[in-house]
Amino acid sequence: MARQYQDVSLHAPPDHQGNLEREVEAFSEHIRNLFADVPALKPKYIPINKDNFFDNLQDGVLLGHIINSIKPNLVNVAKLSTGIDRSHLVPPTKADESIPQEHTKDYFEATSNLNTCMDAAKKVAVVVNVAAEDFLAKKPDLVLGVIWQLIRAYLLSDVNVPSHPELIRLLQPGESLTTLINLTNEQLLLRWFNYHLARSGKSKRVNNLGKDIADAEAYLLLLRQVAPGHKEEVLADLDAAIKLADKEAKAKATLEVAEKLGCRKFVTAADILAGAQRLNLGFVATIFSKHIGIVLPTEEESRATVDKLAALDEERVKLLRRIAELEARVTELEGELASEKAQHNANTSSLEKELEAVRALKQEESQTLNTAIADLQRRLESVQSEKAKTEDGETAFKQSISNHLGGVREMLKDHMTAMKYDADLAATLGRLLGANVALTPAKEDLPPLPAKQPSTMEEELECLSEELQAFVKQVLEENAQQKKLIFALATRADQNDKV
């Protein structure tokens, strides 16, 4: 079987024109396959390709058949004018230019055909702001937009729960069948895609059919899940492709496997890598229609599900009962909490008052303490001042005492010198009076001089005290000597009188 597409380039088309050409090729292929067995469309409309695509849609006949593929007999194609010469459908290029008379009939019939088809198209697809003149003028964006909406409606027409009851397996916990029914066809298709991705055991998920599938990994995982189990060769190819690291190689492998499964349509490897939304949607919808990969539950599975639902319902009743008990307990706790809160507020108010009183007392004590500290500071300064004065007076007093002690010491020194002289004189007089009379004290009887000079006033006072004691002793001894001397002189005078 020949390939449906030839990959000319594996890179995304760089411009808008390139994207339009790819869509024209893909849509042409879809239409060609769709009406390959309709003799009424051959050879004027089929085959269709990128070279005659817009020409073949210009008179509305092929467009009517496309609409009927979505909803049969919506357009009465028997009433459409089929003998139109499309070469006469060239619209005027200027506003003041009129259609040639011989072209008027064909132009009018084509316009009537297109208006009929556009009215019908609005019933099966989203078609807005497009008129018959846009098809006659072959405007690429608008024409492709309408054709895509019709192809999309055709591809997604059976992507719903009534057409595929097995889709109930897509229900998630907590959802009901209404949830699936309310999903759009495209949302349901995405959920089907992610259902199979979850079955693969991988974390890969898709939220769109553009950039999320551009690495082709999601496609390989999807095909691995929906591929029939008896196609061992296909499964082996998929397992090998999933291990590939190169995105381009993965995209190629995806299309090769899809061709073997008979569902390669719309896309090339370049379209996958570029994330072309429209073409990828067509490809996914084709895979869905060919290999949905989901079956209805068996009788045993259904019975197990019913039993599970019954158990869940019983558990739900228990939970509701428990919830009621908890709600009652919560109400009770809320009452206790309110009471505790009121008591707490009262305690807080009382504590705040006590705190204010303590703060006031503390402030008062602080002021008193500051006053006492200031007073003590003043007293300390006064004491320090008095101490300084006392120290100065003490220093002056010590200096005065020291001066006086110095004078006394000098007097003592002079007195001791005089005593020494008097002792010498007494010794001389004793020799004159007689050798037996000892008038002078022994040399060792004189008061000894201090061993060392005093260094402090206390030592000096102590030394002076010893000197004074020695001085007094010396004076008494002198008085005794003087008495002896007087007695000797008296005795001598008495002897002289006798002589």
Side-chain angles (χ1 to χ4, degrees):
M1 177 177 170
R3 292 198 177 198
Q4 295 173 332
Y5 301 106
Q6 295 297 321
D7 296 333
V8 178
S9 171
L10 291 177
H11 299 284
D15 56 3
H16 180 59
Q17 185 62 33
N19 291 332
L20 291 179
E21 290 178 359
R22 272 296 305 124
E23 290 186 354
V24 169
E25 291 177 359
F27 296 168
S28 297
E29 181 67 24
H30 173 74
I31 295 171
R32 189 166 57 247
N33 292 335
L34 191 62
F35 301 114
D37 299 327
V38 181
L41 296 178
K42 297 178 180 180
K44 186 176 182 178
Y45 302 101
I46 300 297
I48 186 173
N49 53 52
K50 64 178 182 179
D51 296 325
N52 61 12
F53 182 81
F54 295 101
D55 293 334
N56 290 3
L57 292 169
Q58 200 174 16
D59 62 5
V61 175
L62 182 57
L63 183 61
H65 282 81
I66 294 173
I67 294 171
N68 282 344
S69 69
I70 304 170
K71 188 174 182 179
N73 301 320
L74 186 60
V75 177
N76 189 353
V77 293
K79 292 184 178 181
L80 296 178
S81 299
T82 58
I84 299 173
D85 185 352
R86 292 200 300 266
S87 64
H88 294 170
L89 301 181
V90 179
T93 58
K94 298 180 181 179
D96 57 350
E97 185 179 355
S98 61
I99 301 173
Q101 185 66 31
E102 61 273 17
H103 299 172
T104 302
K105 179 177 179 296
D106 289 332
Y107 198 87
F108 175 79
E109 289 178 350
T111 302
S112 177
N113 286 349
L114 289 169
N115 286 333
T116 299
C117 290
M118 295 306 296
D119 291 340
K122 293 177 182 178
K123 297 178 181 179
V124 294
V126 180
V127 179
V128 293
N129 299 325
V130 183
E133 291 77 8
D134 298 316
F135 277 82
L136 291 170
K138 297 186 288 189
K139 295 181 179 179
D141 287 345
L142 297 178
V143 173
L144 284 174
V146 172
I147 297 303
W148 163 244
Q149 290 297 333
L150 294 174
I151 292 176
R152 179 180 178 277
Y154 172 80
L155 294 172
L156 300 179
S157 59
D158 63 345
V159 182
N160 52 66
V161 176
S163 300
H164 293 280
E166 59 268 35
L167 291 178
I168 62 173
R169 287 189 178 275
L170 303 183
L171 284 171
Q172 297 177 358
E175 292 183 342
S176 64
L177 188 59
T178 306
T179 305
L180 288 183
I181 295 175
N182 290 335
L183 294 177
T184 65
N185 303 79
E186 192 167 347
Q187 289 172 338
L188 193 60
L189 190 65
L190 275 174
R191 181 174 285 207
W192 169 80
F193 200 144
N194 285 315
Y195 168 80
H196 285 299
L197 292 179
R199 287 180 58 210
S200 71
K202 304 293 184 180
S203 60
K204 181 73 174 180
R205 299 292 185 275
V206 294
N207 295 315
N208 56 71
L209 297 177
K211 63 180 182 179
D212 285 4
I213 50 84
D215 59 358
E217 180 182 357
Y219 274 143
L220 292 172
L221 295 174
L222 172 64
L223 293 173
R224 182 66 180 81
Q225 295 302 313
V226 301
H230 64 276
K231 292 185 177 291
E232 296 181 359
E233 179 184 354
V234 173
L235 297 178
D237 292 342
L238 285 168
D239 291 338
I242 290 173
K243 298 177 182 179
L244 295 174
D246 184 63
K247 295 180 181 179
E248 182 179 305
K250 282 187 174 181
K252 282 184 175 182
T254 297
L255 296 180
E256 291 173 357
V257 172
E259 186 170 346
K260 292 179 180 180
L261 294 176
C263 57
R264 177 178 178 175
K265 289 186 179 181
F266 291 99
V267 294
T268 64
D271 299 326
I272 295 175
L273 296 176
Q277 293 255 17
R278 289 180 177 179
L279 301 180
N280 279 293
L281 176 59
F283 183 39
V284 175
T286 303
I287 297 173
F288 177 89
S289 64
K290 296 285 186 178
H291 304 285
I292 190 171
I294 304 176
V295 295
L296 285 170
T298 63
E299 184 178 352
E300 292 180 357
E301 291 177 333
S302 300
R303 188 178 296 108
T305 301
V306 171
D307 293 341
K308 184 177 180 180
L309 289 174
L312 289 174
D313 187 63
E314 183 179 349
E315 184 67 22
R316 183 181 66 85
V317 173
K318 292 180 180 179
L319 289 175
L320 289 175
R321 188 181 300 113
R322 179 58 179 163
I323 289 172
E325 294 175 356
L326 291 175
E327 287 178 347
R329 179 57 179 162
V330 168
T331 303
E332 180 182 353
L333 291 176
E334 285 177 348
E336 295 178 359
L337 179 61
S339 176
E340 291 291 336
K341 186 176 181 180
Q343 183 63 35
H344 173 73
N345 291 336
N347 293 339
T348 301
S349 177
S350 175
L351 289 174
E352 287 177 351
K353 292 179 181 179
E354 293 180 5
L355 180 60
E356 289 298 326
V358 169
R359 285 176 178 170
L361 180 60
K362 181 179 179 182
Q363 185 175 4
E364 182 180 353
E365 290 178 350
S366 177
Q367 292 176 352
T368 303
L369 182 60
N370 290 336
T371 303
I373 290 173
D375 183 57
L376 288 174
Q377 187 68 28
R378 288 193 298 270
R379 291 174 62 184
L380 177 60
E381 292 175 355
S382 176
V383 169
Q384 289 176 344
S385 176
E386 291 294 331
K387 180 180 179 182
K389 292 179 181 179
T390 301
E391 288 177 351
D392 292 341
E394 183 180 354
T395 302
F397 175 73
K398 286 181 178 180
Q399 185 64 39
S400 175
I401 294 297
S402 179
N403 293 338
H404 282 82
L405 289 177
V408 171
R409 183 175 290 280
E410 291 299 325
M411 290 174 61
L412 288 174
K413 287 181 180 180
D414 292 343
H415 178 70
M416 291 177 69
T417 302
M419 284 178 57
K420 183 177 180 182
Y421 173 76
D422 291 342
D424 292 342
L425 181 61
T428 302
L429 182 60
R431 284 194 302 271
L432 293 177
L433 296 177
N436 297 328
V437 181
L439 299 178
T440 61
K443 211 167 194 180
E444 55 274 9
D445 294 333
L446 293 175
L449 293 174
K452 62 178 182 177
Q453 295 296 323
S455 59
T456 62
M457 188 174 69
E458 288 77 6
E459 292 178 355
E460 191 169 359
L461 288 172
E462 184 178 355
C463 181
L464 180 61
S465 176
E466 293 175 356
E467 290 178 356
L468 287 175
Q469 292 176 6
F471 173 70
V472 172
K473 182 178 180 182
Q474 184 66 32
V475 169
L476 293 176
E477 289 178 352
E478 287 179 1
N479 289 335
Q481 293 296 329
Q482 288 175 0
K483 288 181 179 180
K484 290 180 179 181
L485 181 59
I486 293 172
F487 179 76
L489 289 175
T491 303
R492 188 71 177 175
D494 185 45
Q495 292 177 353
N496 286 336
D497 288 340
K498 290 181 178 182
V499 173

